[in-house]
Amino acid sequence: MKKANKTNKARAMRLVPFSRSPVSIIIPFHGEYERVGRLVSSIWNATRSNPYEICLVDDCSPNSDFIASMKDQPQVTNLRTPERLGFGGALKYGFDRTEQPWVCFLNSDCEIKDVNWLIAMGQSLLDLKEQGVRMVSSRTNNPGNLGDKRLKGKKGDFINDVILEDTYLPLYCSMCHRDLFNHIGGFIKPYPYGWYEDEELAYRMRHYGFKQAISGKSWVHHEGSVTVKTVLKNDLKAKEIMISNRDKCIADISSL
């Protein structure tokens, strides 16, 4: 019987790099066509690390011609919802119609200016897997007023990855494995228009034993609240509906 090769036996295991992992980048939008076009162009120009597809989900925008005009663009899947679904519902519409094992949820008012934005998030997921982390977010110039304050930073201002304990990711640019939702009771909640689905998701993930984290070396530019401001301007009842999503969030958390 041959003896085991001592050199191979003693060699430390290496983490598999994320660079060959295919990603579905799902971008829901309602209007703001110029920003959507700019975002898609920025992904093409900056992303070289991974095989990816861009899935544009037009959440029943007024101009149905825009999504049709994108049909021949490389690496882009174009979808249009039959009715207004809101942020969570539009994400689900794209999620159900894509197949890559990794998914990135990206707001339409983001812009990619860092070539490592995608691979850094993926590598953080692999590095933190043994600690229970199953979703990560990039940092940004504008994470909004909610979520974790450590999400805010300048391009190139790297920090160590941060595992969240009692805060949450606002989902402007987040990544996870597709299989996550099979283990936490389903997908992101389709609350009308948006708001509070991010908080509910973080609580539910913790309930099932999974964590969220900030990828310290990933960064995207984010304008913030562009679609929400447009909705509130054009629909006087929308704000009341969105505020009432808090009650839905509390009820969903209480039911766990």
Side-chain angles (χ1 to χ4, degrees):
M1 185 174 180
K2 263 189 166 182
K3 290 184 179 180
N5 185 304
K6 291 184 179 179
T7 304
N8 289 340
K9 188 176 181 180
R11 185 179 298 165
M13 291 182 65
R14 294 182 300 170
L15 286 174
V16 177
F18 189 75
S19 60
R20 294 184 180 180
S21 301
V23 183
S24 292
I25 303 171
I26 303 175
I27 305 170
F29 70 92
H30 181 81
E32 303 299 332
Y33 313 109
E34 184 177 343
R35 287 183 172 87
V36 174
R38 182 184 66 191
L39 172 56
V40 171
S41 295
S42 72
I43 294 172
W44 287 335
N45 292 332
T47 310
R48 299 287 185 271
S49 62
N50 292 77
Y52 66 88
E53 65 172 333
I54 300 170
C55 178
L56 295 179
V57 185
D58 180 352
D59 190 17
C60 209
S61 296
N63 181 6
S64 60
D65 293 333
F66 174 77
I67 196 70
S69 72
M70 300 291 287
K71 68 177 182 178
D72 295 324
Q73 300 301 318
Q75 294 174 274
V76 177
T77 299
N78 302 288
L79 303 173
R80 179 175 168 85
T81 63
E83 59 184 354
R84 187 74 187 272
L85 301 178
F87 179 69
L91 282 179
K92 183 66 160 58
Y93 197 83
F95 181 84
D96 288 344
R97 290 161 177 80
T98 53
E99 297 181 349
Q100 303 305 334
W102 297 92
V103 289
C104 174
F105 305 129
L106 189 59
N107 279 8
S108 60
D109 59 349
C110 288
E111 187 175 0
I112 307 305
K113 297 184 177 182
D114 181 354
V115 296
N116 292 316
W117 75 287
L118 193 63
I119 193 170
M121 283 193 292
Q123 200 59 54
S124 293
L125 279 169
L126 297 185
D127 292 345
L128 300 175
K129 182 178 180 180
E130 296 303 317
Q131 298 180 63
V133 172
R134 293 297 184 272
M135 177 175 281
V136 301
S137 173
S138 64
R139 300 181 79 213
T140 183
N141 59 300
N142 181 18
N145 297 324
L146 302 174
D148 193 288
K149 293 181 179 179
R150 291 165 291 185
L151 286 161
K152 187 171 184 177
K154 297 178 181 179
K155 179 184 176 182
D157 179 21
F158 297 150
I159 62 172
N160 292 329
D161 291 346
V162 179
I163 299 177
L164 306 187
E165 298 298 334
D166 53 8
T167 52
Y168 64 93
L169 302 179
L171 303 181
Y172 58 83
C173 178
S174 300
M175 180 184 283
C176 65
H177 194 279
R178 181 175 295 273
D179 189 52
L180 168 66
F181 302 102
N182 293 326
H183 300 282
I184 61 170
F187 196 69
I188 297 165
K189 298 294 184 180
Y191 298 149
Y193 294 108
W195 287 2
Y196 297 104
E197 65 281 314
D198 45 11
E199 294 184 56
E200 189 280 335
L201 175 65
Y203 192 97
R204 181 156 42 101
M205 286 182 63
R206 291 190 184 105
H207 174 80
Y208 284 98
F210 301 120
K211 299 177 182 178
Q212 296 182 338
I214 300 168
S215 177
K217 294 182 175 62
S218 175
W219 189 90
V220 298
H221 177 82
H222 181 221
E223 290 189 51
S225 302
V226 170
T227 301
V228 169
K229 290 176 182 176
T230 301
V231 169
L232 297 180
K233 180 180 178 181
N234 297 330
D235 188 341
L236 298 179
K237 295 181 179 180
K239 186 172 184 179
E240 182 179 344
I241 293 171
M242 294 170 73
I243 290 174
S244 71
N245 287 340
R246 182 175 184 273
D247 295 331
K248 295 181 177 65
C249 174
I250 293 172
D252 286 331
I253 288 173
S254 299
S255 68
L256 292 172

Coordinates of all heavy atoms in Angstrom, one line a residue, residues 215-254:
S215 N -19.6 44.0 3.1 CA -18.3 43.7 2.4 C -17.4 44.9 2.4 O -17.7 45.9 1.7 CB -18.6 43.2 1.0 OG -17.3 43.0 0.3
G216 N -16.3 44.9 3.1 CA -15.5 46.1 3.3 C -14.7 46.5 2.1 O -14.2 47.7 2.1
K217 N -14.6 45.7 1.1 CA -13.8 46.1 -0.1 C -14.7 46.3 -1.3 O -14.2 46.4 -2.4 CB -12.8 45.1 -0.3 CG -11.7 45.0 0.8 CD -10.6 44.0 0.4 CE -9.5 44.0 1.5 NZ -10.0 43.7 2.8
S218 N -16.0 46.3 -1.2 CA -16.9 46.5 -2.3 C -17.6 47.9 -2.1 O -18.0 48.3 -1.0 CB -18.0 45.4 -2.3 OG -19.0 45.7 -3.3
W219 N -17.7 48.6 -3.2 CA -18.3 50.0 -3.1 C -19.0 50.3 -4.4 O -18.6 50.0 -5.5 CB -17.2 51.0 -3.0 CG -17.6 52.4 -2.6 CD1 -17.9 52.9 -1.4 CD2 -17.9 53.4 -3.6 NE1 -18.3 54.3 -1.5 CE2 -18.3 54.6 -2.9 CE3 -17.9 53.5 -5.0 CZ2 -18.7 55.8 -3.5 CZ3 -18.2 54.7 -5.6 CH2 -18.6 55.8 -4.9
V220 N -20.2 50.9 -4.3 CA -21.0 51.4 -5.4 C -21.4 52.8 -5.1 O -21.6 53.2 -4.0 CB -22.2 50.5 -5.7 CG1 -21.8 49.1 -6.1 CG2 -23.2 50.5 -4.6
H221 N -21.6 53.6 -6.2 CA -22.2 54.9 -6.0 C -23.7 54.8 -6.0 O -24.3 54.0 -6.7 CB -21.8 55.8 -7.2 CG -22.4 57.2 -7.2 ND1 -21.9 58.2 -6.4 CD2 -23.5 57.7 -7.8 CE1 -22.7 59.3 -6.6 NE2 -23.7 59.0 -7.4
H222 N -24.3 55.5 -5.1 CA -25.8 55.4 -4.9 C -26.4 56.8 -4.7 O -26.0 57.5 -3.8 CB -26.1 54.5 -3.7 CG -27.5 54.3 -3.4 ND1 -28.1 54.3 -2.2 CD2 -28.6 54.0 -4.3 CE1 -29.4 54.1 -2.2 NE2 -29.7 53.9 -3.5
E223 N -27.3 57.2 -5.6 CA -28.0 58.5 -5.4 C -29.0 58.4 -4.2 O -29.0 59.3 -3.4 CB -28.7 58.9 -6.7 CG -27.8 59.2 -7.8 CD -28.6 59.8 -9.0 OE1 -29.4 60.7 -8.8 OE2 -28.4 59.3 -10.1
G224 N -29.8 57.4 -4.2 CA -30.7 57.2 -3.0 C -32.0 57.8 -3.2 O -32.2 59.0 -3.4
S225 N -33.1 57.0 -3.0 CA -34.5 57.4 -2.9 C -35.0 58.0 -4.2 O -36.1 58.7 -4.1 CB -34.7 58.3 -1.7 OG -34.3 57.7 -0.5
V226 N -34.4 57.9 -5.3 CA -34.8 58.5 -6.5 C -36.2 58.0 -6.9 O -37.1 58.8 -7.2 CB -33.8 58.3 -7.7 CG1 -34.4 58.8 -9.0 CG2 -32.5 59.1 -7.4
T227 N -36.4 56.7 -7.0 CA -37.7 56.2 -7.4 C -38.8 56.5 -6.4 O -39.9 56.8 -6.8 CB -37.6 54.6 -7.6 OG1 -36.6 54.3 -8.6 CG2 -38.9 54.1 -8.0
V228 N -38.4 56.4 -5.1 CA -39.4 56.7 -4.1 C -39.9 58.1 -4.2 O -41.1 58.4 -4.1 CB -38.8 56.5 -2.7 CG1 -39.7 57.0 -1.6 CG2 -38.6 55.0 -2.5
K229 N -39.0 59.1 -4.4 CA -39.4 60.5 -4.5 C -40.3 60.7 -5.7 O -41.3 61.5 -5.6 CB -38.1 61.4 -4.7 CG -37.3 61.4 -3.4 CD -36.1 62.2 -3.6 CE -35.2 62.3 -2.3 NZ -33.9 63.0 -2.6
T230 N -40.0 60.0 -6.8 CA -40.9 60.1 -8.0 C -42.3 59.5 -7.7 O -43.3 60.1 -8.1 CB -40.3 59.4 -9.2 OG1 -39.0 59.9 -9.5 CG2 -41.1 59.5 -10.4
V231 N -42.3 58.4 -7.0 CA -43.6 57.8 -6.7 C -44.4 58.7 -5.8 O -45.6 58.9 -6.1 CB -43.4 56.4 -6.0 CG1 -44.7 55.9 -5.4 CG2 -42.8 55.4 -6.9
L232 N -43.8 59.3 -4.8 CA -44.5 60.1 -3.9 C -45.0 61.4 -4.5 O -46.1 62.0 -4.2 CB -43.6 60.5 -2.7 CG -43.2 59.3 -1.8 CD1 -42.3 59.8 -0.7 CD2 -44.4 58.5 -1.3
K233 N -44.3 61.9 -5.5 CA -44.6 63.1 -6.2 C -45.9 62.8 -7.1 O -46.7 63.7 -7.3 CB -43.5 63.6 -7.1 CG -43.8 64.8 -7.9 CD -42.5 65.2 -8.7 CE -42.8 66.4 -9.6 NZ -41.7 66.8 -10.4
N234 N -45.9 61.6 -7.7 CA -47.0 61.3 -8.7 C -48.2 60.6 -8.1 O -49.2 60.5 -8.8 CB -46.4 60.5 -9.9 CG -45.3 61.3 -10.6 OD1 -45.4 62.5 -10.7 ND2 -44.3 60.5 -11.2
D235 N -48.1 60.1 -6.9 CA -49.2 59.3 -6.3 C -49.3 59.8 -4.9 O -48.6 59.4 -4.0 CB -48.9 57.8 -6.4 CG -50.0 57.0 -6.0 OD1 -50.9 57.5 -5.3 OD2 -50.0 55.8 -6.3
L236 N -50.4 60.6 -4.6 CA -50.6 61.2 -3.3 C -50.9 60.1 -2.2 O -50.6 60.4 -1.0 CB -51.7 62.2 -3.4 CG -51.4 63.4 -4.3 CD1 -52.6 64.3 -4.3 CD2 -50.2 64.2 -3.9
K237 N -51.4 59.0 -2.6 CA -51.8 58.0 -1.6 C -50.6 57.0 -1.3 O -50.7 56.2 -0.4 CB -53.0 57.2 -2.2 CG -54.2 58.0 -2.3 CD -55.4 57.1 -2.8 CE -56.7 57.9 -2.9 NZ -57.8 57.0 -3.4
A238 N -49.6 57.1 -2.2 CA -48.5 56.1 -2.0 C -47.8 56.2 -0.7 O -47.5 55.2 -0.1 CB -47.4 56.4 -3.1
K239 N -47.5 57.4 -0.2 CA -46.8 57.5 1.1 C -47.6 56.9 2.2 O -47.0 56.2 3.1 CB -46.6 59.0 1.5 CG -45.7 59.2 2.7 CD -45.3 60.6 2.9 CE -44.3 60.8 4.1 NZ -43.9 62.2 4.3
E240 N -48.9 57.1 2.3 CA -49.7 56.4 3.3 C -49.6 54.9 3.2 O -49.5 54.2 4.3 CB -51.2 56.9 3.2 CG -52.1 56.4 4.2 CD -53.5 56.9 4.1 OE1 -53.7 57.9 3.4 OE2 -54.4 56.2 4.7
I241 N -49.7 54.4 2.0 CA -49.6 53.0 1.8 C -48.2 52.4 2.2 O -48.1 51.4 2.9 CB -49.8 52.6 0.3 CG1 -51.3 52.9 -0.1 CG2 -49.5 51.2 0.0 CD1 -51.6 52.8 -1.5
M242 N -47.2 53.2 1.9 CA -45.8 52.7 2.2 C -45.6 52.8 3.7 O -44.9 51.9 4.3 CB -44.8 53.6 1.5 CG -44.8 53.4 0.0 SD -43.8 54.5 -1.0 CE -42.2 54.0 -0.6
I243 N -46.1 53.8 4.4 CA -46.0 53.9 5.9 C -46.7 52.7 6.5 O -46.2 52.1 7.5 CB -46.5 55.2 6.4 CG1 -45.6 56.4 6.0 CG2 -46.7 55.2 7.9 CD1 -46.2 57.7 6.3
S244 N -47.8 52.3 5.9 CA -48.6 51.2 6.5 C -47.9 49.8 6.3 O -48.2 48.8 7.0 CB -50.0 51.1 5.9 OG -49.9 50.6 4.5
N245 N -46.8 49.8 5.5 CA -46.0 48.6 5.3 C -45.3 48.2 6.7 O -45.0 47.0 6.9 CB -45.0 48.7 4.3 CG -45.6 48.7 2.9 OD1 -46.7 48.2 2.7 ND2 -44.8 49.2 1.9
R246 N -45.2 49.2 7.5 CA -44.6 48.9 8.8 C -45.4 47.9 9.6 O -44.9 47.0 10.3 CB -44.4 50.2 9.6 CG -43.7 50.0 11.0 CD -43.5 51.3 11.7 NE -42.8 51.1 12.9 CZ -43.4 50.9 14.1 NH1 -44.7 50.8 14.2 NH2 -42.7 50.7 15.2
D247 N -46.7 48.1 9.5 CA -47.6 47.2 10.2 C -47.5 45.8 9.6 O -47.6 44.8 10.4 CB -49.1 47.7 10.1 CG -49.3 49.0 10.8 OD1 -48.6 49.2 11.8 OD2 -50.1 49.8 10.4
K248 N -47.4 45.7 8.3 CA -47.2 44.4 7.7 C -45.9 43.7 8.1 O -45.8 42.5 8.4 CB -47.2 44.5 6.1 CG -48.5 45.0 5.6 CD -48.4 45.1 4.0 CE -49.8 45.5 3.4 NZ -50.2 46.9 3.8
C249 N -44.9 44.5 8.2 CA -43.6 44.0 8.7 C -43.6 43.5 10.1 O -43.2 42.4 10.4 CB -42.5 45.2 8.6 SG -40.9 44.8 9.3
I250 N -44.3 44.2 11.0 CA -44.4 43.8 12.4 C -45.2 42.5 12.4 O -44.9 41.6 13.2 CB -45.1 44.9 13.2 CG1 -44.1 46.1 13.3 CG2 -45.4 44.4 14.6 CD1 -44.7 47.3 14.0
A251 N -46.3 42.4 11.7 CA -47.1 41.2 11.7 C -46.4 40.0 11.2 O -46.5 38.9 11.7 CB -48.4 41.5 10.8
D252 N -45.6 40.2 10.1 CA -44.8 39.1 9.6 C -43.7 38.6 10.6 O -43.5 37.4 10.7 CB -44.1 39.5 8.2 CG -45.1 39.6 7.1 OD1 -46.1 38.8 7.1 OD2 -44.9 40.3 6.1
I253 N -43.1 39.6 11.2 CA -42.1 39.2 12.2 C -42.7 38.5 13.4 O -42.2 37.5 13.9 CB -41.3 40.5 12.7 CG1 -40.4 41.0 11.6 CG2 -40.5 40.2 13.9 CD1 -39.8 42.3 11.9
S254 N -43.9 39.0 13.8 CA -44.6 38.4 15.0 C -45.0 36.9 14.7 O -45.2 36.1 15.6 CB -45.8 39.2 15.4 OG -45.4 40.5 15.7

